[in-house]
């Protein structure tokens, strides 16, 4: 019997398994290091090296060989992977020395190193604690890793020592060498320590979660199990206390004169967004709690004093551009700069990228240019070389979706388009083709039938998906809106893989609409800030898109049968749709909805809505529980009971409000499931159950499906 698409999608992780990722190019451009599983259904990633001169690949670390038993992870490592949205196994991350000749990585919380140049097999290095985030020093002599709340250093012979850790009287909430929850979940910073360029010292983070509210996450399906205690930084409540320290290999320590709770030059800079240490003057990127002020400060490693080098402010929030700040060779600081409606790159405050060229992320810095991902047109992402002289050279298809890596004149570009499901990873050196890195992913058993466009008063990026074989104008179809809807999310991209689940849903008899409303990524700073103080307004964006499409496709859209489904913020928007706009939306499936932003974390909720105490009216206006008495449409709430990101209290409080208002609804609890449904059977049946609910609620017959 052929497996269903939902089962195949879950087994292949949306057909991403088997694709190379995590590219690192050596400074001399001779080799590319990357991760890839051996098949399109294996979740275990191996470490590979691609030799540019010969165009050949070599597997340098195979988890199946290195581990004799099943992989086991500590609770800390599982939590870290949850923050990073990592669902794979094997080698999920690695670090290298500066020359990219050796790699270090963790398997089953044990430490391994691999030779990236010679034929020596990967080998285990003996350690004294469970290994988290191992990182080689730039010279390749030593490896630092976090474990047991301390930072450890080991050489490649297995000589271990604790470099710095909690004092004997510190509470268990004190940890060294790891990123705190907010950094990992909201600031895209997963690191908690940084090597000096010469490998003789490190900057190490210490955090203390004692002030953070203590929450308990239990699994009602297993009442015999103790609840999991977590420190969750709820909006309006205290964050972890974070500090930084320069620690030498001899054990000497210099406290950097910044902590997240103390004033620095009259300002409390509560969030550590990034640390960059490429020369003798490390750079810190620090944000105030309201995120309207970003300071770049350099550190005197001898005294610990910090000096401001650049301050950026914004009336809503300052956007920290991924990959920045960086110090270039002549000492100037590279950073992002929102200039009117363009996210630009600047050197010491002077922008050099052209207006209209939206920069998404910095990948590498060369002598006279930066290699970055840019947005050449709505829904596309390209790799480009951005010259300090203002020049722009695209290194990938301007109409597709690409990522890349560079080093020593070698460029790796992974390219996708809407034309087909092919993912091509090409390697060029000196402007000439040097081969491709293989892909072994499974091919989706679907045929895309879609159109992309911009519609409505704000030119909302939109993709419309029809059932395979559906002929335009051949008859009205029930509609299913399939948004994410949250700020900085982006669903509409020129990548065929982005629409697999949506196409399958269309093939069940729906016309599916994927639309990006206010605040979505890829449109520029002014567009981003339309979500400020207004989450729930994006429901009106979805309704406007539907109205415009009904005019374009009057014979294909049945406006009397419109459903909506989504997860996380998409779950919030789906529930909000039937509560706020029952005139448009006939049914909703809301997965892990963030029903009340007061229950979400400090950094995210306060960035967009402000502090709960100062902005009570704003939080009330975006609170779904206060709209419970408006429900007149079928609503299915779905939530993982083990979710430590959007905790199940969001759904339970909304359900409670609905019950108190006498409003029938359905709740589907998922025992043992976190924010990500990793189980094949759960992921498969979750899709099937959503379709069944929507069909029943919207009176869609199975025979309506085109395939």
């Amino acid at each position: 019997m052929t497996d269903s698409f939902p089962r195949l999608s879950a087994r292949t992780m949306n057909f991403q398994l088997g694709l190379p990722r995590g590219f690192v190019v050596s400074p001399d451009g001779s080799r590319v290091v990357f991760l890839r599983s051996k098949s399109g259904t294996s979740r275990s990633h191996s470490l590979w090296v691609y030799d540019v001169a010969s165009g050949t690949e070599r597997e340098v670390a195979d988890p199946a060989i290195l581990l004799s038993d099943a992989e086991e992870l500590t609770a800390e490592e599982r939590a870290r992977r949850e923050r990073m949205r990592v669902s794979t196994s094997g080698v999920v991350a690695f670090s290298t020395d500066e020359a990219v000749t050796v790699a270090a990585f963790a398997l089953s919380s044990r430490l391994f190193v691999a030779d990236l140049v010679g034929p020596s097999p990967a080998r285990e290095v003996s350690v004294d604690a469970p290994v988290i985030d191992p990182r080689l020093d730039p010279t390749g002599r030593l490896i630092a890793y976090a474990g047991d709340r301390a930072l450890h250093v080991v050489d490649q012979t297995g000589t271990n020592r604790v470099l710095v850790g909690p004092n004997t009287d510190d509470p268990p909430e004190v940890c060294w060498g790891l990123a705190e929850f907010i950094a990992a979940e909201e600031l895209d910073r997963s690191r908690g320590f940084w090597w000096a360029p010469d490998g003789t010292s490190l900057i190490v983070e210490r955090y203390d979660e004692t002030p953070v509210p203590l929450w308990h996450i239990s699994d009602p399906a297993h009442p015999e199990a103790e609840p999991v205690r977590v420190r969750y930084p709820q909006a309006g409540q205290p964050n972890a206390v974070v500090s930084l320290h320069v620690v030498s290999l001899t054990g000497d320590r210099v406290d950097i004169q910044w902590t997240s709770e103390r004033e620095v030059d009259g300002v409390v800079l509560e969030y550590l967004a990034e640390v960059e240490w490429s020369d003798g003057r490390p750079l810190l990127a620090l944000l105030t709690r309201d995120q309207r002020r970003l300071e770049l400060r350099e550190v005197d490693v001898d005294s610990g004093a910090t000096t401001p080098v650049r301050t950026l402010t914004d009336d809503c929030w300052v956007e920290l551009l991924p990959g920045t700040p960086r110090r270039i060779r002549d000492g100037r600081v590279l950073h992002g700069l929102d200039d009117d409606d363009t996210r630009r790159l600047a050197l010491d405050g002077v922008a050099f990228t052209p207006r209209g060229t939206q920069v998404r992320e910095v990948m590498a810095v060369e002598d006279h240019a930066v290699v970055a991902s840019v947005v050449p047109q709505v829904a596309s992402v390209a790799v480009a070389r951005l010259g300090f002289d203002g020049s722009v050279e695209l290194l990938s298809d301007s109409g597709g979706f690409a990522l890349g890596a560079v080093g020593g004149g070698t460029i790796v570009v992974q390219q996708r388009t809407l034309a087909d499901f092919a993912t091509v990873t090409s390697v060029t050196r000196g402007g000439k083709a040097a081969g491709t890195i293989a892909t072994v992913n499974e091919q989706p058993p679907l045929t895309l039938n879609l159109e992309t466009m911009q519609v409505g008063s704000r030119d909302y990026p939109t993709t419309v998906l029809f059932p395979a074989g559906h002929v335009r104008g051949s008859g009205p179809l029930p509609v299913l809106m399939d948004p994410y809807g949250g700020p900085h999310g982006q669903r509409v991209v020129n990548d065929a893989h982005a629409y697999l689940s949506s196409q399958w849903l269309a093939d069940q008899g729906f016309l599916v609409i994927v639309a990006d409303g206010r605040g979505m990524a890829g449109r520029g700073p002014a567009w981003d800030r339309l979500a400020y103080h207004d989450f729930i307004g994006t429901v009106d964006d979805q309704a406007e898109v539907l109205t415009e499409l009904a005019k374009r496709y009057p014979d294909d859209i049945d406006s009397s049968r419109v459903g909506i489904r989504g997860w996380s913020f998409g779950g919030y928007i789906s529930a909000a749709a039937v509560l706020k706009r029952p005139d448009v939306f006939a049914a909703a499936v809301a997965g892990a909805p963030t029903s009340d932003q007061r229950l979400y974390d400090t950094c995210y909720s306060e960035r967009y809505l402000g502090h709960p105490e100062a902005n009570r009216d704003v939080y009330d206006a975006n609170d779904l529980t206060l709209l419970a008495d408006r429900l007149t449409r079928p609503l299915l709430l779905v939530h993982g009971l083990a979710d430590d990101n959007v905790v199940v209290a969001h759904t339970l409080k909304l359900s409670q409000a609905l019950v108190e208002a006498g409003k029938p609804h359905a709740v589907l609890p998922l025992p043992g499931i976190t924010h990500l449904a990793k189980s094949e059977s759960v992921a498969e049946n979750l899709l099937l159950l959503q379709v069944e609910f929507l069909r029943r609620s919207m009176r869609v017959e199975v025979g309506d499906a085109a395939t």
Side-chain angles (χ1 to χ4, degrees):
M1 182 177 179
T2 303
D3 285 329
S4 68
F5 168 82
R7 171 71 69 162
L8 287 173
S9 180
R11 182 177 304 155
T12 62
M13 293 186 62
N14 200 35
F15 301 89
Q16 300 299 300
L17 296 174
L19 295 177
R21 65 176 184 83
F23 307 102
V24 173
V25 184
S26 62
D28 62 5
S30 66
R31 57 194 166 275
V32 180
V33 188
F34 63 96
L35 302 174
R36 188 183 61 212
S37 59
K38 290 187 177 181
S39 75
T41 57
S42 171
R43 294 200 176 199
S44 179
H45 281 71
S46 297
L47 184 66
W48 302 78
V49 172
Y50 179 87
D51 182 77
V52 176
S54 64
T56 58
E57 300 175 3
R58 178 170 63 95
E59 185 180 27
V60 296
D62 180 355
I65 295 175
L66 297 174
L67 292 179
S68 56
D69 301 318
E71 186 173 9
E72 296 183 6
L73 302 176
T74 62
E76 292 79 8
E77 177 64 13
R78 287 195 300 271
R80 185 170 184 270
R81 293 190 184 190
E82 185 74 17
R83 301 282 74 77
M84 297 171 67
R85 307 296 189 264
V86 172
S87 300
T88 55
S89 61
V91 186
V92 300
F94 64 92
S95 70
T96 71
D97 61 331
E98 187 175 19
V100 191
T101 62
V102 61
F105 54 92
L107 286 175
S108 199
S109 300
R110 293 151 52 187
L111 178 61
F112 295 83
V113 295
D115 183 355
L116 303 177
V117 179
S120 301
R123 59 185 179 83
E124 184 171 4
V125 177
S126 177
V127 293
D128 294 335
V131 175
I132 302 174
D133 193 25
R135 293 189 179 270
L136 278 152
D137 87 88
T139 69
R141 298 170 300 171
L142 301 170
I143 305 166
Y145 66 92
D148 285 345
R149 301 165 52 219
L151 186 73
H152 307 251
V153 173
V154 59
D155 64 25
Q156 295 191 35
T157 68
T159 302
N160 279 260
R161 60 194 174 99
V162 174
L163 189 65
V164 64
N167 297 323
T168 55
D169 58 348
D170 279 337
E173 287 80 9
V174 172
C175 180
W176 290 78
L178 288 177
E180 79 281 10
F181 177 96
I182 284 298
E185 182 65 40
E186 303 297 354
L187 298 176
D188 293 329
R189 176 174 64 81
S190 60
R191 298 179 63 173
F193 62 91
W194 298 263
W195 278 104
D198 62 3
T200 61
S201 60
L202 302 98
I203 289 178
V204 185
E205 173 182 343
R206 176 192 186 271
Y207 70 75
D208 180 359
E209 292 184 315
T210 304
V212 180
L214 178 62
W215 286 11
H216 297 82
I217 298 177
S218 62
D219 185 353
H222 293 280
E224 75 282 0
E226 289 279 347
V228 176
R229 293 160 47 95
V230 298
R231 294 285 180 173
Y232 190 87
Q234 180 184 2
Q237 299 298 314
N239 282 305
V241 178
V242 179
S243 58
L244 292 174
H245 312 266
V246 181
V247 185
S248 72
L249 294 179
T250 61
D252 295 330
R253 193 172 98 191
V254 174
D255 299 336
I256 293 177
Q257 295 172 23
W258 165 84
T259 77
S260 61
E261 63 177 352
R262 297 176 186 168
E263 288 188 357
V264 178
D265 295 340
V267 179
V268 178
L269 300 164
E270 189 153 335
Y271 294 125
L272 172 65
E274 190 56 87
V275 175
E276 192 266 0
W277 198 356
S278 59
D279 70 358
R281 296 169 293 165
L283 286 170
L284 311 181
L286 304 167
L287 284 160
T288 54
R289 178 155 176 160
D290 63 12
Q291 298 167 67
R292 295 180 182 181
R293 181 185 182 94
L294 170 69
E295 287 197 13
L296 306 181
R297 303 182 72 94
E298 67 179 22
V299 179
D300 183 324
V301 296
D302 295 322
S303 68
T306 68
T307 305
V309 296
R310 183 65 47 192
T311 298
L312 302 173
T313 61
D314 189 272
D315 291 339
C316 297
W317 69 83
V318 179
E319 194 76 27
L320 181 65
L321 187 68
T324 66
R326 295 198 189 188
R327 195 185 296 278
I328 66 173
R329 290 185 179 179
D330 65 10
R332 288 180 292 174
V333 175
L334 174 76
H335 60 89
L337 181 67
D338 284 356
D339 179 13
D340 193 15
D341 198 22
T342 303
R343 184 148 296 135
R344 305 175 70 184
L345 282 173
L347 287 169
D348 283 352
V350 180
F352 63 86
T353 53
R355 285 188 173 89
T357 298
Q358 303 287 356
V359 182
R360 284 175 59 110
E361 180 179 4
V362 171
M363 300 174 182
V365 178
E366 301 177 335
D367 289 339
H368 305 290
V370 169
V371 177
S373 60
V374 300
V375 182
Q377 60 190 56
V378 173
S380 71
V381 176
V383 178
R385 178 174 283 112
L386 307 174
F388 295 156
D389 60 359
S391 59
V392 178
E393 176 193 2
L394 290 184
L395 304 175
S396 67
D397 182 352
S398 64
F401 192 92
L403 56 84
V406 300
T410 294
I411 303 171
V412 179
V413 172
Q414 188 169 87
Q415 180 75 62
R416 294 179 177 175
T417 68
L418 276 178
D420 53 43
F421 294 121
T423 299
V424 178
T425 305
S426 60
V427 182
T428 60
R429 181 162 175 77
K432 298 181 180 179
T436 60
I437 297 175
T439 60
V440 294
N441 62 311
E442 297 287 315
Q443 291 302 299
L446 297 174
T447 300
L448 290 184
N449 187 7
L450 59 77
E451 296 180 18
T452 61
M453 63 203 74
Q454 291 179 254
V455 301
S457 59
R458 291 189 172 122
D459 292 329
Y460 301 108
T462 302
T463 299
V464 182
L465 298 103
F466 303 87
H470 176 83
V471 178
R472 310 296 190 268
S474 61
L477 294 166
V479 177
L480 178 57
M481 308 290 287
D482 190 19
Y484 173 70
H488 289 77
Q490 186 176 10
R491 287 290 315 280
V492 180
V493 292
N494 292 336
D495 173 5
H497 280 262
Y499 301 107
L500 293 177
S501 293
S502 298
Q503 182 63 59
W504 179 81
L505 289 166
D507 291 346
Q508 309 316 300
F510 299 94
L511 182 145
V512 176
I513 299 171
V514 180
D516 285 343
R518 65 191 72 180
M520 303 302 103
R523 292 287 298 276
W527 178 262
D528 293 347
R529 286 161 177 76
L530 290 175
Y532 188 62
H533 285 188
D534 187 11
F535 282 168
I536 205 166
T538 196
V539 169
D540 295 322
D541 299 343
Q542 299 293 316
E544 183 183 348
V545 167
L546 175 68
T547 299
E548 292 300 314
L549 291 177
K551 298 174 184 177
R552 292 197 183 200
Y553 304 100
D555 298 323
D556 297 291
I557 287 181
D558 181 354
S559 296
S560 68
R561 293 190 291 173
V562 180
I564 185 169
R565 50 92 70 167
W567 195 267
S568 196
F569 201 103
Y572 168 84
I573 290 302
S574 297
V578 290
L579 293 170
K580 184 182 179 185
R581 295 298 302 272
D583 59 314
V584 175
F585 299 98
V589 176
T594 50
S595 303
D596 181 359
Q597 291 299 323
R598 295 178 182 88
L599 288 173
Y600 203 52
D601 69 55
T602 53
C603 188
Y604 186 92
S605 292
E606 294 174 18
R607 176 191 302 145
Y608 302 112
L609 304 183
H611 196 284
E613 292 183 5
N615 288 2
R616 293 182 182 180
D617 292 346
V618 174
Y619 278 80
D620 286 348
N622 292 278
D623 185 349
L624 299 187
T625 65
L626 300 182
L627 302 177
D629 62 348
R630 298 188 186 183
L631 183 66
T632 58
R633 300 295 194 181
L635 170 62
L636 171 62
L637 302 173
V638 186
H639 218 118
L641 299 183
D643 195 335
D644 67 351
N645 177 18
V646 182
V647 295
V648 72
H650 283 270
T651 283
L652 295 180
K653 289 197 171 186
L654 177 56
S655 177
Q656 179 184 6
L658 291 168
V659 170
E660 290 175 350
K663 301 298 182 179
H665 62 286
V667 179
L668 176 60
L670 304 175
I673 300 300
T674 63
H675 201 57
L676 304 173
K678 302 173 185 177
S679 161
E680 277 187 30
S681 59
V682 171
E684 173 188 30
N685 289 306
L686 193 52
L687 261 181
L688 296 173
L689 289 168
Q690 291 180 60
V691 169
E692 173 57 29
F693 175 83
L694 291 165
R695 279 177 171 161
R696 184 173 65 252
S697 302
M698 296 165 59
R699 305 181 308 282
V700 178
E701 300 295 332
V702 176
D704 290 350
T707 59

